[in-house]
Amino acid sequence: MILLNGWDRCPCDVEPSQERSGPERGWGATTPRVVGRMGLFKSKLPKTGRPLRPKEKEMLKSPLIIFVMGGPGCGKGTQCKNMATKYGFCHVGLGQLLRQEAQRGTRRGQKIREIMLRGLLVPTGIILDMINDKMLSCPESRGFLIDGFPRELIQAKEFERIVGRPPDVVMVFDCSMETMVRRALHRGQVEHRGDDCEPAILQRLETHYTLCEPVFTFYQQKNLLRNILAEEAPENIFAKCCSVIESLQRLEGVGG
Ligand code: ADP
């Protein structure tokens, strides 16, 4: 699939002068800037999500909520699609939702696109609103697979503050750096994804290794973390995902 709107172009193809041409592109003072290390951005995009109404919180009380974490190319997107099909869950794929938003051509979309092409994190407010809007648009769903979340501790805490509950489980796809780079580079060639080129992949890896670590500790302490070794064949990895879900479904008393 060829993605339009410059998605097929790696940020390393962009001349430095073009990259910094904020005012000409109408970005002006709101052009996001990298602040220091670890994939964080300073921008005027919202840092907190909109609060939910009591009725909305009530709707999200009972369905299963599964967070799926892992570095670029670890295979979480593929497995989430399979799990969503098998169990009738709603797949909330953040990368995919953000790419749709980035293609809109709005100022917000342009900013998101720039952040993603650099392999940095989109501000938390946008992420939480996207997740909540998507979940609330599927009121009949008995489960949600939130793929690519949380990527930093503040996201985990904001989710609990806004939605009013933690997830039921957090799956972490564990993969070596070599495997992730190889898979992501291959995907970049096949799908022409602009953020699957070497500089952006390396930035995403750095973000993953630095910002996700405290998130793992946070959920480990709550006994919610489930490690999935993701080096094997896709069907073996899928079997492990299913056993995590099924142990949970037994707990929750929900049919498979
Ligand atoms: P991958 O997980 O392979 O890096 P995704 O398609 O899931 O790919 O995400 C692509 C990009 O979308 C990330 O590099 C980041 O810029 C953005 N993104 C996705 N999820 C989040 C999140 N939870 N918080 C902030 N940014 C995110």
Side-chain angles (χ1 to χ4, degrees), residues 104-128:
R104 284 196 175 186
T106 57
R107 184 173 286 208
R108 179 179 133 116
Q110 282 181 329
K111 285 181 194 168
I112 291 175
R113 178 176 163 271
E114 175 173 336
I115 293 171
M116 292 175 77
L117 285 176
R118 290 185 179 182
L120 301 171
L121 290 187
V122 173
T124 294
I126 298 213
I127 299 293
L128 283 170

Side-chain angles (χ1 to χ4, degrees), residues 10 12 26 40 108 120 160 168 195 204 210 253 256:
C10 169
C12 50
L40 292 175
R108 179 179 133 116
L120 301 171
E160 287 189 24
D168 293 282
D195 61 342
R204 280 148 71 203
T210 52

Side-chain angles (χ1 to χ4, degrees), residues 70-73 76 94-96 98-99 115-116 119-122 127 147-151 155 187 193 195 204:
K76 58 191 184 320
L94 277 164
Q96 197 187 350
L98 286 165
R99 277 187 290 280
I115 293 171
M116 292 175 77
L120 301 171
L121 290 187
V122 173
I127 299 293
D147 164 9
F149 183 86
R151 297 204 188 220
Q155 294 188 351
R187 183 174 61 188
R193 241 180 80 171
D195 61 342
R204 280 148 71 203

Side-chain angles (χ1 to χ4, degrees), residues 42-184:
K42 189 178 180 188
S43 79
K44 286 188 179 170
L45 294 173
K47 288 172 192 60
T48 55
R50 83 169 169 88
L52 295 187
R53 290 187 285 270
K55 204 174 150 199
E56 291 175 324
K57 276 192 180 179
E58 192 58 37
M59 279 167 67
L60 298 178
K61 243 182 174 172
S62 51
L64 287 177
I65 297 186
I66 301 169
F67 290 169
V68 184
M69 299 178 66
C74 69
K76 58 191 184 320
T78 307
Q79 297 298 340
C80 280
K81 275 186 209 127
N82 296 341
M83 290 185 271
T85 306
K86 175 162 178 172
Y87 298 101
F89 291 164
C90 170
H91 178 196
V92 184
L94 277 164
Q96 197 187 350
L97 290 171
L98 286 165
R99 277 187 290 280
Q100 276 166 15
E101 184 71 31
Q103 285 191 341
R104 284 196 175 186
T106 57
R107 184 173 286 208
R108 179 179 133 116
Q110 282 181 329
K111 285 181 194 168
I112 291 175
R113 178 176 163 271
E114 175 173 336
I115 293 171
M116 292 175 77
L117 285 176
R118 290 185 179 182
L120 301 171
L121 290 187
V122 173
T124 294
I126 298 213
I127 299 293
L128 283 170
D129 287 353
M130 259 181 188
I131 293 174
N132 289 334
D133 290 349
K134 179 78 186 179
M135 290 199 298
L136 292 168
S137 74
C138 306
E140 302 304 323
S141 184
R142 50 195 191 135
F144 295 97
L145 287 154
I146 308 189
D147 164 9
F149 183 86
R151 297 204 188 220
E152 53 173 331
L153 192 54
I154 185 76
Q155 294 188 351
K157 292 188 170 169
E158 278 293 279
F159 182 93
E160 287 189 24
R161 188 180 68 81
I162 292 175
V163 179
R165 56 165 281 195
D168 293 282
V169 79
V170 180
M171 290 186 188
V172 180
F173 280 58
D174 198 356
C175 226
S176 72
M177 201 165 93
E178 291 71 25
T179 302
M180 289 195 276
V181 171
R182 183 172 38 78
R183 288 181 186 165

Side-chain angles (χ1 to χ4, degrees), residues 33 49 106 119 125 192-193 202 207-208 211 226 247:
R33 294 185 304 275
T106 57
H192 300 273
R193 241 180 80 171
L202 294 179
T207 306
H208 171 69
L211 296 179
R226 302 290 179 272
S247 63

